[in-house]
C-alpha cells in the first residue's frame, strides 16, 4: 500500500472511530469529515444518499442506527473493512486498473467453494451432483490475492452450501482482514460455535435463503428446515451479528414473498438487507413456466421502491435495479463468478466460458474472449429495466458465445444458448412494452435522471470506454 493510501486509510478509520464514540451525536458532522478526506469524485451518489439520510432522519437513518445495535467489535471491524478497504480506497484503484488493462475489473468476485450441499431441495441443481467439486483453500486464497492486486476486496460465496467448508472460510477471513466476505447460505449449519468464529474474524456476513413460510420451505427443503433457519437468525441476532436475506422470486411465490408483512418479519428477525433475485430458467430442466409474469415484475418494481422509501432494511431487486449500476454488471464490470470446477463465468447465471482459473490468472480471465465481448457490448440495452443479454435481450447471449468461442460450463445440465433463448424469448417480448412504459413514466422519481442519458450508475472508465468504442448513447437496444 502506498504511503498516501496508508495515510488515507488511517484518517478514514479515525472517522469511523469518532462516529463510534457517540453515533447519534457525531453522525451529524460525519459527512463534513468525509468530504475533507475523500476526493469529490469518489462514490459521489453514495455520499449524497448518506447525507440525505442523516439530514432527513429517514428510514435509511434508522437502518444506520440498527447497525449500531450490532456487537461493537464486529461493527467497527466491518464498517472499516466495507467502507474504507472495500469501497473508498478500492474504487479509485479499480478505476486505475480498468484504465491500465483496458478491460473490466470487478468490485466483487463470486465463487463456489464447493458444489456439495447438506440439503436436498427439490429443483436445486446441487442435489444432482454425483460427487462434490471443490475449490481448494489454496485456489480461493490465490483468487483473493490476485483480486486484491486489481483492487477487489469483496468476495461472495455461492454454491452448493459454502458453510460445508466453514473452517476454510474462516481461515480465509483471518488471512484477508482487508476484505469482506458475504456468503449465500441455507443457514442450517450456523450454530453458536460458528457465531463465535464470526465474532472473532469480524468480516463475514451471511445472506440467508428464505423464500417462504414454514409449510412451503419444509415441503421443498425438508422437514424442520424452516425451524433451523429461524434458529440461525435468532442466534445471529442475539450475538449482534450482521446478516441479510436472499429471496428468489418466481411466478409461484412472487406475490407471497413481496409483502410488507414479510419485510417486517425480516426486520424483526434482525436482517439488515433483503436481496430479491428474479428466477432464471438456467439449466436444461429449469422451466420457463416459473418466470414471473410482466404484471408480477411490474408489481415487484413498485413494491421494492416503496419498501426502500420506508423500511429500515436495505432492499435490492437484482433484475429491476439495473439503472443504479449502469445495466448489466457481469463479465467483471462489477462482478464475475467462478464455479466449483474453476470455470470463470461472466455471471452466476451465465454458464459459458473460455477459461478455467486453474489454467489462467484472474487478469487473463478478465481479458478472455467472452469477458471482452461483455466489456465491448455493455450495456446491452439503453433501458436498464431490460439489462440482461440472456433474459431481456435473448439474442445477445448466443451472439456473444458464438463470437467468443466460449463453451458450456453448466456442471449438471449444459444447454446451448439457443435452447436457453427458446425459454426466455417470449418472456422478453412480453416484458419489453411494460419496461418501456415504466422507463418513460414522467411520474417516476427516476424520470429526470433517465432523461440525462446513460450516465447513471456508470464509472468514469465506462464513459471513457464508450467514447473510445464509439457506442455511447447508441447502445444495442435489441428487440
Ligand atoms: S448477465 Fe444478466 S443476470 Fe447476469 S449480471 Fe448481467 S444482467 Fe444480471
Amino acid at each position: 500500500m502506498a504511503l498516501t493510501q496508508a495515510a488515507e486509510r488511517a484518517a478514514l478509520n479515525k472517522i469511523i472511530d469518532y462516529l463510534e464514540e457517540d453515533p447519534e451525536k457525531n453522525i451529524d458532522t460525519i459527512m463534513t469529515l468525509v468530504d475533507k478526506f475523500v476526493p469529490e469524485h469518489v462514490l459521489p451518489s453514495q455520499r449524497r444518499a448518506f447525507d440525505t439520510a442523516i439530514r432527513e432522519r429517514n428510514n435509511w437513518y434508522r437502518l444506520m442506527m440498527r447497525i449500531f445495535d450490532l456487537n461493537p467489535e464486529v461493527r467497527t471491524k466491518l464498517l472499516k473493512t466495507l467502507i474504507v478497504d472495500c469501497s473508498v480506497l478500492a474504487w479509485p484503484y479499480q478505476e486505475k486498473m480498468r484504465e491500465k488493462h483496458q478491460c473490466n475489473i470487478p468490485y466483487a468476485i463470486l465463487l463456489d467453494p464447493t458444489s456439495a450441499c447438506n440439503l436436498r431441495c427439490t429443483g436445486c441443481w446441487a442435489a444432482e451432483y454425483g460427487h462434490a467439486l471443490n475449490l481448494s483453500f489454496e485456489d480461493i486464497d490465490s483468487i483473493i490475492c490476485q483480486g486484491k492486486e486489481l483492487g477487489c476486496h469483496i468476495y461472495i460465496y455461492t454454491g452448493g452450501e459454502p458453510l460445508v467448508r466453514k473452517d476454510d472460510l474462516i481461515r480465509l477471513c483471518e488471512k484477508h482482514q482487508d476484505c469482506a466476505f458475504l456468503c449465500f447460505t441455507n443457514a442450517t449449519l450456523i450454530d453458536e460455535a460458528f457465531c463465535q468464529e464470526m465474532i472473532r474474524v469480524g468480516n463475514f456476513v451471511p445472506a440467508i435463503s428464505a423464500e417462504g413460510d414454514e409449510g412451503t420451505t419444509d415441503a421443498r427443503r425438508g422437514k424442520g428446515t424452516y425451524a433451523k433457519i429461524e434458529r440461525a437468525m435468532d442466534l445471529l441476532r442475539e450475538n449482534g451479528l450482521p446478516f441479510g436475506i436472499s429471496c428468489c422470486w418466481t411466478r409461484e411465490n412472487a406475490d407471497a414473498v413481496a409483502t410488507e408483512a414479510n419485510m417486517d418479519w425480516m426486520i424483526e428477525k434482525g436482517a439488515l438487507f433483503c436481496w430479491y433475485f428474479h428466477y432464471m430458467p438456467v439449466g436444461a430442466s429449469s422451466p420457463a413456466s416459473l418466470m414471473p409474469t410482466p404484471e408480477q415484475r411490474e408489481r415487484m418494481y413498485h413494491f421494492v421502491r416503496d419498501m426502500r422509501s420506508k423500511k429500515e432494511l436495505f432492499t435490492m431487486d437484482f433484475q429491476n435495479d439495473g439503472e443504479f449500476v449502469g445495466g448489466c454488471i457481469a463479465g467483471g464490470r462489477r462482478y464475475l463468478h467462478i464455479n466449483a470446477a474453476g470455470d470463470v463465468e461472466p455471471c452466476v447465471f451465465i454458464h459459458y466460458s473460455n477459461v478455467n482459473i486453474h489454467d489462467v490468472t484472474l487478469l487473463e480471465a478478465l481479458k478472455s474472449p467472452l469477458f471482452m465481448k461483455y466489456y465491448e457490448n455493455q450495456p446491452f440495452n439503453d433501458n436498464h429495466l431490460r439489462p440482461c443479454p440472456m433474459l431481456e435481450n435473448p439474442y445477445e447471449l448466443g451472439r456473444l458465445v458464438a463470437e467468443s468461442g466460449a463453451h458450456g460450463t453448466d456442471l449438471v445440465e449444459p444447454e446451448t444458448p439457443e435452447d436457453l433463448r427458446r425459454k426466455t424469448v417470449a418472456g422478453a417480448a412480453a416484458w419489453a412494452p411494460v419496461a418501456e412504459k415504466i422507463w418513460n413514466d414522467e411520474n417516476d422519481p427516476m424520470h429526470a435522471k433517465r432523461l440525462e442519458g446513460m450516465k447513471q450508475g456508470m464509472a468514469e472508465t465506462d464513459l471513457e470506454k464508450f467514447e473510445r468504442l464509439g457506442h455511447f448513447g447508441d447502445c444495442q437496444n435489441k428487440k
Side-chain angles (χ1 to χ4, degrees):
M1 186 186 295
L3 189 61
T4 48
Q5 208 184 10
E8 200 180 341
R9 185 176 197 259
L12 289 165
N13 282 340
K14 271 213 158 84
I15 297 178
I16 289 172
D17 288 334
Y18 166 73
L19 180 63
E20 288 277 358
E21 279 168 23
D22 188 345
E24 286 203 46
K25 181 163 158 260
N26 295 348
I27 202 162
D28 286 317
T29 44
I30 205 77
M31 291 316 289
T32 317
L33 288 172
V34 170
D35 290 343
K36 199 168 145 192
F37 288 103
V38 183
E40 232 172 271
H41 66 272
V42 178
L43 307 171
S45 54
Q46 289 84 343
R47 283 156 71 163
R48 272 198 304 278
F50 267 109
D51 200 40
T52 309
I54 293 164
R55 270 188 294 104
E56 293 181 359
R57 296 291 198 256
N58 59 18
N59 56 310
W60 291 92
Y61 174 82
R62 296 202 303 278
L63 174 58
M64 288 180 210
M65 288 303 126
R66 286 188 61 214
I67 292 170
F68 286 100
D69 289 338
L70 295 175
N71 173 307
E73 265 174 61
V74 174
R75 178 184 68 217
T76 310
K77 174 84 210 323
L78 199 63
L79 283 176
K80 286 181 177 174
T81 312
L82 266 177
I83 297 176
V84 181
D85 294 316
C86 299
S87 301
V88 178
L89 296 180
W91 180 260
Y93 194 73
Q94 288 159 16
E95 282 285 82
K96 261 191 210 153
M97 293 294 110
R98 287 173 192 131
E99 215 177 314
K100 177 174 173 193
H101 297 294
Q102 302 280 292
C103 65
N104 282 331
I105 299 290
Y107 178 71
I109 291 178
L110 265 73
L111 50 93
D112 299 352
T114 181
S115 62
C117 185
N118 60 320
L119 296 184
R120 288 286 175 273
C121 303
T122 313
C124 175
W125 53 267
E128 306 298 326
Y129 285 110
H131 59 275
L133 293 159
N134 290 293
L135 291 173
S136 67
F137 174 88
E138 290 73 21
D139 291 334
I140 303 175
D141 184 42
S142 165
I143 292 166
I144 297 170
C145 290
Q146 292 182 62
K148 288 202 289 188
E149 291 286 313
L150 297 170
C152 177
H153 288 251
I154 298 184
Y155 295 85
I156 303 178
Y157 297 125
T158 43
E161 170 49 52
L163 292 185
V164 167
R165 300 272 308 279
K166 57 167 97 161
D167 292 346
D168 281 340
L169 301 192
I170 288 293
R171 276 170 69 206
L172 288 158
C173 287
E174 274 170 340
K175 179 159 182 203
H176 299 283
Q177 286 277 294
D178 55 352
C179 293
F181 296 88
L182 188 90
C183 178
F184 288 97
T185 173
N186 64 36
T188 57
L189 298 174
I190 294 176
D191 54 16
E192 180 58 33
F194 187 67
C195 287
Q196 292 310 313
E197 290 291 72
M198 278 181 64
I199 291 172
R200 191 168 62 75
V201 292
N203 54 350
F204 187 90
V205 180
I208 297 175
S209 301
E211 288 138 14
D213 55 25
E214 183 165 9
T216 323
T217 304
D218 285 4
R220 193 171 92 78
R221 311 189 126 200
K223 199 163 168 34
T225 305
Y226 186 84
K228 283 186 190 159
I229 293 172
E230 281 215 306
R231 177 72 193 128
M233 291 179 184
D234 293 342
L235 271 177
L236 291 163
R237 189 188 62 251
E238 284 156 17
N239 278 293
L241 286 163
F243 73 94
I245 287 174
S246 97
C247 181
C248 174
W249 53 290
T250 68
R251 186 173 301 196
E252 280 177 6
N253 75 4
D255 303 321
V257 295
T259 66
E260 190 159 353
N262 198 23
M263 292 271 117
D264 290 337
W265 172 79
M266 293 178 197
I267 296 169
E268 189 193 316
K269 294 309 280 182
L272 295 172
F273 59 88
C274 168
W275 292 349
Y276 284 110
F277 292 91
H278 186 292
Y279 165 78
M280 302 284 187
V282 176
S285 69
S286 303
S289 58
L290 276 179
M291 281 168 63
T293 64
E295 294 74 27
Q296 285 175 319
R297 186 161 169 184
E298 183 176 11
R299 188 179 93 77
M300 188 59 120
Y301 172 91
H302 293 295
F303 171 76
V304 167
R305 278 157 175 76
D306 183 37
M307 292 301 108
R308 265 206 300 256
S309 73
K310 59 187 188 199
K311 297 289 176 193
E312 52 270 38
L313 190 72
F314 177 31
T315 310
M316 229 167 25
D317 173 348
F318 269 81
Q319 220 51 28
N320 283 333
D321 279 337
E323 68 188 302
F324 300 107
V325 286
C328 174
I329 56 173
R333 184 172 160 264
R334 296 293 176 271
Y335 101 107
L336 58 84
H337 176 243
I338 303 175
N339 71 17
D343 300 308
V344 188
E345 301 167 333
C347 169
V348 72
F349 301 115
I350 303 289
H351 298 172
Y352 303 94
S353 173
N354 303 96
V355 284
N356 189 291
I357 203 65
H358 296 118
D359 308 322
V360 297
T361 64
L362 184 60
L363 183 58
E364 284 166 345
L366 287 160
K367 292 187 163 209
S368 66
L370 183 57
F371 275 71
M372 289 310 286
K373 285 288 160 198
Y374 267 78
Y375 176 73
E376 288 155 10
N377 287 277
Q378 287 163 323
F380 296 105
N381 202 301
D382 55 14
N383 178 336
H384 291 322
L385 291 168
R386 301 170 61 196
C388 184
M390 181 254 292
L391 196 70
E392 297 103 355
N393 304 278
Y395 287 89
E396 277 300 275
L397 183 63
R399 181 176 73 83
L400 304 181
V401 170
E403 287 178 4
S404 64
H407 59 268
T409 48
D410 193 293
L411 297 174
V412 182
E413 303 178 320
E415 61 189 338
T416 64
E418 291 69 36
D419 285 341
L420 182 52
R421 189 186 66 226
R422 274 189 270 282
K423 290 189 277 183
T424 56
V425 75
W431 171 244
V434 185
E436 291 305 308
K437 180 191 76 180
I438 301 171
W439 192 255
N440 295 311
D441 178 1
E442 289 177 11
N443 297 317
D444 193 293
M446 292 301 290
H447 186 69
K449 280 217 155 67
R450 288 169 188 166
L451 287 181
E452 283 170 20
M454 298 295 296
K455 292 190 180 163
Q456 167 87 342
M458 296 292 178
E460 289 290 315
T461 47
D462 287 324
L463 302 177
E464 281 159 22
K465 177 185 76 173
F466 295 145
E467 289 261 309
R468 189 160 34 81
L469 299 180
H471 76 97
F472 181 53
D474 181 29
C475 63
Q476 319 303 309
N477 201 9
K478 304 291 181 308
K479 300 290 176 202

